[in-house]
Amino acid sequence: MTQLRLHRDLSYCRVDGHLIFLDIQNDRYFRLAECMESALATYLDDGDAPDSGIRRLIERKILIDERVDPDCTPLSFTKTPTRSAMEEAVHARWASVSELLDTFVIVCSIQRQLKTHSLKQILRNLSSFREKRTSQASMSRPSEAHVLEVAAVFRGARLYVPIDTCCLLDSIAMVKFLAKRELHADLVFGVTGDPFSAHCWAQHDTSVLNDALGHALAFTPIKVI
């Protein structure tokens, strides 16, 4: 059988015994019908499954021929968080005028992009921007205390932006705000199964930067940027 793999726009996790998918090209989460889910789970675990099930997965473009997209890299997963920056006493300084303006511009820009671009394009742009800005600082790893301090500055400045808070908007904006200061943070997407819900947060190493630890741990990571 031809070697197959998951479509590059899809990521998945197992929650409560079921597979949940995130499709970043079409901005949606979904589950498969039971028969297709069973076939895919068997294929992912054992590398084999009934031909009829595999054909349906190929038709739905869940599985693709590896040669179609050879430059796809495996998904990376962040560390399980052990602390929350919001729940620790960080003596954050007041945001400067330039930081307030930068926060305003970033949040407004991300909000506009979420209305006009696919999630795939937004995440690709974010990853590229972060790579360019943080690659120079990779040799001199910033202290975690510094990352937490700058994240706290963003959270304080965000209060003055007259746009409703939203986990996706604010997490992308925080990752970009940190990247502009040559600081790396991951963007983590997570889901719960029954009832279904989706969430995302910014994370540095094992520190959640913009959410409570218990809330973040309630979600199973499905994708990390």
Side-chain angles (χ1 to χ4, degrees), residues 6-217:
L6 200 66
H7 192 286
R8 69 177 305 165
D9 292 337
L10 301 179
S11 56
Y12 77 96
C13 64
R14 299 177 191 245
V15 183
D16 300 329
H18 294 287
L19 302 179
I20 298 178
F21 295 83
L22 169 61
D23 179 352
I24 59 173
Q25 175 60 43
N26 296 299
D27 298 356
R28 67 185 184 118
Y29 293 91
F30 68 93
R31 277 187 53 192
L32 296 171
E34 186 174 345
C35 59
M36 294 179 66
E37 179 183 71
S38 177
L40 180 58
T42 300
Y43 185 80
L44 293 173
D45 291 340
D46 304 329
D48 194 14
D51 288 345
S52 59
I54 293 298
R55 282 197 300 271
R56 294 181 66 185
L57 290 167
I58 294 173
E59 290 170 0
R60 286 279 304 275
K61 298 184 179 179
I62 305 297
L63 290 177
I64 61 173
D65 187 326
E66 189 173 32
R67 291 170 298 178
V68 173
D69 226 347
D71 61 337
C72 180
T73 56
L75 294 175
S76 61
F77 283 90
T78 194
K79 298 178 181 178
T80 300
T82 60
R83 59 192 292 205
S84 165
M86 293 178 60
E87 297 173 325
E88 297 186 3
V90 177
H91 299 290
R93 57 179 174 78
W94 288 98
S96 66
V97 173
S98 64
E99 288 168 333
L100 287 168
L101 290 174
D102 196 27
T103 300
F104 179 85
V105 170
I106 290 175
V107 171
C108 290
S109 173
I110 298 301
Q111 184 192 49
R112 184 174 63 253
Q113 290 178 44
L114 288 170
K115 293 178 179 179
T116 59
H117 294 71
S118 71
L119 182 59
K120 178 180 179 178
Q121 185 62 53
I122 293 170
L123 297 181
R124 179 183 294 168
N125 291 343
L126 177 67
S127 181
S128 177
F129 177 82
R130 184 184 58 191
E131 175 65 23
K132 290 176 182 177
R133 296 303 296 261
T134 61
S135 60
Q136 298 296 325
S138 60
M139 299 301 294
S140 56
R141 182 180 176 85
S143 68
E144 185 166 17
H146 181 49
V147 176
L148 298 186
E149 176 189 354
V150 176
V153 169
F154 174 86
R155 292 197 306 271
R158 176 66 176 90
L159 298 174
Y160 297 94
V161 181
I163 294 175
D164 290 342
T165 58
C166 167
C167 65
L168 180 59
L169 167 63
D170 293 332
S171 298
I172 294 175
M174 176 178 277
V175 170
K176 186 167 185 178
F177 183 88
L178 291 168
K180 289 188 71 173
R181 287 147 185 85
E182 300 182 347
L183 301 173
H184 182 102
D186 291 329
L187 177 66
V188 186
F189 292 82
V191 294
T192 61
D194 186 17
F196 173 80
S197 62
H199 184 47
C200 67
W201 62 91
Q203 182 172 325
H204 173 77
D205 197 32
T206 60
S207 296
V208 178
L209 301 179
N210 61 340
D211 196 8
L213 177 62
H215 191 232
L217 288 174

